[in-house]
């Protein structure tokens, strides 16, 4: 069973490494971001502060904690992506993931067999947010920004532009990999936040393998 | 966004026009021939200050706003536009001068749009189309005066209650910070007030 899951993971990661047209990729990421934004507008921004801060179980993340965590990654990536896109440069019609980029994206994608991922201290949310409503507003602002960046990136080369990851500036992922990783990461925690509002009792059912968010 | 049914949009445009000022057949045929389908995603800036407004929009789907940013980067959301209604920076359309405001989408949007030079030519050729535009603008002007009166006489809570009564669905579609801006309050006060009103 474990072997089959690992084989499938590797196969999907390798599959992501074949060149793919950049425009459909960006459009599909834009569509997923639009869906995440609609969830934030329909659900999260209409919750009372107490509900935003309410954890589904002791030690589990509340809605505000999930969004705080995503905002902390947005704070790192979005200004860097915006600055890189502003510099301009040649456009490329196709994008090819690096092995590491494909690995990070596959690791983040929510779904059956999803692994629990260790959070670095600087991205670990407070147990109770001081201003949970502000966290929701910031998350919405960041997703609106991401939509604009995904559209601007249609004129860019997703292979050539590289963005340093949060763990170390020594590793710089291709912009196409960063976008895919961010959207998958957002999806993961938006789903977690939805589960947190749905019940205050059921925690996330995740396996115990520990990885690290880039 | 999903493909919008544009033939249905022409019927909605015809109904809106008929409600403002019914057109004789030749005028309607001339007007209907000029509109082009157009759709775009959320947060698309359709018009910027300094550029002339190039189109009169008919909003088929989605919500947009016309807004202003001053030299201190303070924002003022002036008008929301919903279907079925006309959209665009209207003063720029009529004066044929550079726009002083932005027109942007709040949600994925679908439109029919008519090039402004064609609109002016049609107004010259067809007095009924000119009357249609004048009457349409009178309704818009009336709405703007009503909003000014509301801003100056009503408390923040009354303005919020009025918005919730007119368009309760907007709370689920548009980021609250823009609604707060439209009502002339900051986002934190808006959230507090909303929680008082709703919970």
């Amino acid at each position: 069973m474990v072997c089959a899951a690992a084989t499938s993971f590797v196969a999907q990661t390798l599959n992501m490494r074949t060149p793919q047209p950049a425009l459909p990729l960006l459009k599909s990421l834009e569509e997923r971001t639009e869906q995440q934004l609609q969830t934030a507008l329909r659900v999260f921004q209409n919750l009372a502060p107490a509900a935003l801060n309410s954890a589904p179980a002791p030690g589990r993340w509340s809605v505000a904690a999930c969004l705080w965590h995503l905002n902390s990654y947005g704070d790192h990536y979005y200004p860097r992506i915006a600055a890189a896109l502003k510099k301009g440069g040649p456009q490329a019609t196709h994008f090819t993931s690096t092995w590491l980029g494909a690995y990070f994206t596959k690791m983040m994608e929510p779904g059956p067999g999803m692994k629990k991922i260790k959070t670095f201290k600087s991205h670990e949310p407070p147990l109770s947010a001081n201003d949970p409503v502000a966290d929701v507003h910031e998350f919405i602002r960041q997703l609106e920004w991401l939509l604009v960046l995904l559209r601007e990136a249609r004129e860019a080369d997703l292979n050539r532009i590289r963005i340093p990851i949060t763990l170390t500036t020594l590793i710089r992922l291709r912009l196409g990999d960063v976008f895919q990783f961010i959207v998958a990461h957002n999806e993961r925690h938006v789903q977690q936040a939805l589960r947190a509002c749905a019940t205050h009792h059921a925690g996330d059912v995740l396996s115990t393998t520990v990885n690290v968010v880039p | 966004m999903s493909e919008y049914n544009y033939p249905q949009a022409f019927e909605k445009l015809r109904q809106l026009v008929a409600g403002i000022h019914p057109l004789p057949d030749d005028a309607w045929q001339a007007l209907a021939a000029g509109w082009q389908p157009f759709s775009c995603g959320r947060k698309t800036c359709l018009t910027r200050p300094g550029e002339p407004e190039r189109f009169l929009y008919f909003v088929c789907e989605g919500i947009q706003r016309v807004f202003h940013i001053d030299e201190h980067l303070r924002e003022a959301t002036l008008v929301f536009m919903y279907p079925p209604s006309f959209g665009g920076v209207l003063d720029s359309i009529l004066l044929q001068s550079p726009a002083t405001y932005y027109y942007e989408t709040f949600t994925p949007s679908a439109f029919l749009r008519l090039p402004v030079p064609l609109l002016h030519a049609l107004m010259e050729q067809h007095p009924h189309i000119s009357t249609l535009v004048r009457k349409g603008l009178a309704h818009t002007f009336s709405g703007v005066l009503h909003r000014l009166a509301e801003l100056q006489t009503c408390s923040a809570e009354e303005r919020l209650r009025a918005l919730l009564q007119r368009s309760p669905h907007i709370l689920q579609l548009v980021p609250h910070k823009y609604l707060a801006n439209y009502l002339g309050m900051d986002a934190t006060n808006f959230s507090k007030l909303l929680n008082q009103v709703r919970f």
Side-chain angles (χ1 to χ4, degrees):
Chain A
M1 198 64 183
V2 172
C3 240
T7 309
S8 162
F9 183 88
V10 171
Q12 287 176 42
T13 304
L14 288 174
N15 193 34
M16 288 178 70
R17 296 212 51 223
T18 54
Q20 55 183 320
L23 187 59
L25 170 67
L26 289 169
K27 281 185 174 172
S28 109
L29 294 173
E30 199 183 321
E31 182 55 37
R32 286 179 73 182
T33 303
E34 171 63 31
Q35 293 304 321
Q36 293 160 8
L37 190 45
Q38 285 185 17
T39 300
L41 297 175
R42 201 181 62 248
V43 183
F44 304 148
Q45 75 167 349
N46 288 294
L47 292 172
L52 287 169
N53 249 340
S54 174
R60 295 288 185 187
W61 286 1
S62 64
V63 174
C66 293
L67 303 188
W68 187 99
H69 171 73
L70 292 177
N71 292 341
S72 74
Y73 278 91
D75 286 342
H76 172 87
Y77 283 110
Y78 301 149
R80 285 169 175 79
I81 295 171
L85 288 173
K86 208 171 180 180
K87 282 183 190 163
Q91 188 185 22
T93 57
H94 283 69
F95 170 70
T96 308
S97 283
T98 60
W99 182 87
L100 189 63
Y103 170 78
F104 280 144
T105 301
K106 274 313 300 170
M107 192 174 73
M108 284 304 135
E109 286 288 0
M114 181 166 65
K115 306 274 193 298
K116 185 169 181 174
I117 296 176
K118 181 178 170 61
T119 300
F120 264 76
K121 209 166 181 61
S122 54
H123 297 288
E124 202 168 303
L127 281 179
S128 179
N130 288 332
D131 190 349
V133 173
D135 293 333
V136 179
H137 287 168
E138 175 59 11
F139 180 62
I140 289 169
R141 186 190 73 83
Q142 290 197 0
L143 286 190
E144 285 190 329
W145 193 4
L146 177 56
L147 280 178
V148 173
L149 295 174
L150 285 165
R151 257 177 248 144
E152 286 177 3
R154 292 179 186 187
E155 311 299 322
D157 181 345
L158 302 181
N159 305 287
R160 188 187 58 82
I161 297 176
R162 287 171 176 269
I163 307 291
I165 64 171
T166 59
L167 304 175
T168 167
T169 54
L170 297 175
I171 301 176
R172 298 160 69 85
L173 286 183
R174 292 181 179 182
L175 179 57
D177 281 327
V178 171
F179 275 141
Q180 290 186 89
F181 152 76
I182 288 173
V183 172
H185 187 223
N186 286 346
E187 183 83 35
R188 184 185 189 96
H189 290 293
V190 164
Q191 288 188 11
Q192 185 184 4
L194 277 174
R195 291 194 297 272
C197 3
T199 171
H200 293 172
H201 302 292
D204 300 321
V205 183
L206 296 171
S207 79
T208 51
T209 310
V210 171
N211 289 308
V212 171
V213 182
Chain B
M1 63 182 289
S2 58
E3 276 302 304
Y4 186 76
N5 179 351
Y6 281 103
Q8 199 179 58
F10 275 97
E11 178 53 27
K12 286 185 179 167
L13 173 64
R14 197 192 59 74
Q15 285 171 10
L16 181 67
V17 165
I20 299 169
H21 180 73
L23 294 178
D25 202 45
D26 64 328
W28 165 249
Q29 293 300 337
L31 180 69
W35 297 84
Q36 307 151 0
F38 173 73
S39 64
C40 59
R42 183 188 296 273
K43 288 296 278 183
T44 302
C45 190
L46 299 168
T47 310
R48 286 188 167 77
E51 302 169 355
E53 177 61 277
R54 290 175 302 147
F55 298 98
L56 171 67
Y57 293 84
F58 170 65
V59 183
C60 308
E61 195 172 70
I63 305 173
Q64 307 87 40
R65 68 166 175 162
V66 171
F67 71 103
H68 172 66
I69 300 181
D70 76 0
E71 64 275 21
H72 304 295
L73 300 178
R74 288 175 300 202
E75 231 176 78
T77 300
L78 305 173
V79 194
F80 287 155
M81 284 154 183
Y82 309 87
S85 69
F86 293 112
V89 183
L90 294 180
D91 61 339
S92 173
I93 291 173
L94 291 162
L95 298 168
Q96 298 190 76
S97 59
T100 41
Y101 307 115
Y102 294 85
Y103 181 41
E104 77 164 10
T105 57
F106 266 147
T107 64
S109 299
F111 306 91
L112 294 174
R113 60 184 191 180
L114 180 71
V116 168
L118 181 56
L119 172 69
H120 284 279
L122 287 169
M123 286 166 68
E124 292 283 326
Q125 289 162 19
H126 298 274
H128 278 286
I129 294 181
S130 199
T131 305
L132 166 75
V133 171
R134 179 172 54 78
K135 284 186 176 176
L137 274 172
H139 287 300
T140 305
F141 187 53
S142 183
V144 170
L145 290 182
H146 178 81
R147 175 161 148 72
L148 273 177
E150 197 177 86
L151 274 172
Q152 291 180 27
T153 56
C154 298
S155 68
E157 184 175 337
E158 285 168 333
R159 295 199 296 273
L160 175 60
R161 284 185 188 279
L163 178 74
L164 293 185
Q165 201 161 19
R166 277 198 307 267
S167 328
H169 61 292
I170 205 167
L171 287 176
Q172 274 81 41
L173 298 174
V174 172
H176 288 180
K177 69 171 177 180
Y178 300 124
L179 300 179
N181 187 258
Y182 175 74
L183 294 176
M185 55 182 102
D186 68 42
T188 310
N189 281 344
F190 178 89
S191 298
K192 283 181 186 160
L193 214 48
L194 188 61
N195 287 326
Q196 281 171 24
V197 169
R198 290 196 310 185
F199 297 110

